Amino acid sequence: MIQIKSVTDLNLIKQAAKIWKETRTALIAKTHAGITTNELDLIAKSVIEGNECTCTFHDYHGFPGYICISVNDQLIHGIGDKYRLKPGDLITFDIGVTYQNHICDAAFTLIVDGTNNLTEQTKILAATNSALTRAIEQAVVNNTIGDISFAIESTAHQFGYEVVKDFSGHGCGNKLHEDPMIPCYGKPKTGPKIVENMTLCIEPMLMTKSDKYYIDKNNHWTVYSKNHQLTCHCEHMILITKNGPEILTA
């Protein structure tokens, strides 16, 4: 069932979003070649817990990390470890922040140490951000979830990429995963109607040349592209208002 948020809910979600943005700022400052993904995971933990919040993903169905950190061919659900970042790595931080039982969930992607001569990384990141922007433009009252999903898929294809089929965006706020599910593919004017005071996580997940993937057999979490080519994931949490979408994680 889709949860329409109260004023109290929204105030608490926005506080969680504030801490999400502080965490993003800290990670951007520290993301350079040579640092390990585990060190970045602990930086996120420190910021989140230092602001009277908790790391939403930690121990969620046994997830061992504090946030998800995915690099290059890791699409989603990467776990911080001893890997040291290299110049040109494409790194995605998917961060969940819980404040007084209310949640903000969103993700952003960076190219480590700049973009010089990194055509493929730059191209897929631009495509994913474009898909996110166009999807959010469809998140208005009386449109449908299918309008959002179609915007993601059509933009990805326009740039020459595939979208993952088995993972999706979702409602969020009172729980991490709420209805409606928001796939990266769909048809316009289908699915649930968008109404005021929904809070949605819209998250394009793009893959190069194929949508085939596998899940790490050792950690049972990390999703890799089967062809080991670049992937990219960006996500904003938005509030539906009568005046259009408000991006809580901008």
Side-chain angles (χ1 to χ4, degrees):
M1 185 176 72
I2 295 172
Q3 299 187 34
I4 306 303
K5 304 306 189 293
S6 68
V7 172
T8 299
D9 290 332
L10 292 174
N11 286 338
L12 294 171
I13 291 167
K14 288 179 178 181
Q15 179 61 24
K18 178 177 180 291
I19 304 310
W20 185 96
K21 288 185 278 191
E22 290 187 16
T23 308
R24 176 180 58 192
T25 298
L27 289 169
I28 290 171
K30 295 294 186 179
T31 299
H32 297 290
I35 196 168
T36 68
T37 55
N38 183 63
E39 288 173 312
L40 291 167
D41 193 42
L42 293 176
I43 288 167
K45 173 182 184 289
S46 177
V47 175
I48 293 167
E49 294 185 351
N51 283 279
E52 300 182 345
C53 297
T54 57
C55 301
T56 310
F57 303 157
H58 184 60
D59 209 30
Y60 181 77
H61 296 301
F63 185 76
Y66 294 99
I67 64 172
C68 298
I69 305 177
S70 306
V71 181
N72 295 330
D73 62 343
Q74 299 175 338
L75 178 63
I76 51 173
H77 302 161
I79 300 167
D81 59 17
K82 295 179 181 180
Y83 177 77
R84 291 191 180 277
L85 294 181
K86 301 173 183 176
D89 278 341
L90 195 65
I91 183 169
T92 299
F93 298 97
D94 192 353
I95 305 164
V97 176
T98 301
Y99 176 74
Q100 294 186 17
N101 297 315
H102 288 72
I103 296 166
C104 174
D105 171 22
F108 67 100
T109 295
L110 301 174
I111 301 172
V112 176
D113 290 343
T115 60
N116 291 339
N117 301 315
L118 299 171
T119 304
E120 289 305 312
Q121 291 91 329
T122 303
K123 182 182 174 185
I124 195 170
L125 179 55
T128 308
N129 279 321
S130 292
L132 180 57
T133 297
R134 294 179 188 178
I136 291 171
E137 288 171 352
Q138 296 299 315
V140 296
V141 172
N142 291 327
N143 270 6
T144 69
I145 296 301
D147 295 323
I148 296 174
S149 297
F150 177 75
I152 294 172
E153 181 182 27
S154 60
T155 305
H157 289 171
Q158 177 186 339
F159 280 86
Y161 294 100
E162 301 298 322
V163 294
V164 73
K165 301 296 197 300
D166 295 338
F167 303 94
S168 68
H170 50 91
C172 184
N174 296 343
K175 296 180 180 178
L176 176 56
H177 294 119
E178 301 173 353
D179 290 333
M181 293 297 105
I182 310 172
C184 292
Y185 66 99
K187 296 180 179 179
K189 306 306 176 189
T190 62
K193 185 168 284 191
I194 297 168
V195 300
E196 191 175 354
N197 289 341
M198 282 181 166
T199 47
L200 305 175
C201 294
I202 299 175
E203 44 186 314
M205 291 169 267
L206 273 59
M207 306 179 72
T208 304
K209 296 185 178 178
S210 171
D211 64 359
K212 304 301 182 185
Y213 68 88
Y214 69 92
I215 297 174
D216 189 300
K217 293 180 180 179
N218 294 315
N219 68 34
H220 308 292
W221 279 101
T222 307
V223 176
Y224 288 83
S225 58
K226 195 168 184 178
N227 62 12
H228 292 291
Q229 296 203 34
L230 281 177
T231 66
C232 192
H233 169 215
C234 296
E235 173 185 7
H236 272 311
M237 186 173 185
I238 66 169
L239 165 65
I240 305 300
T241 79
K242 63 183 179 181
N243 298 316
E246 177 185 344
I247 303 174
L248 301 178
T249 47

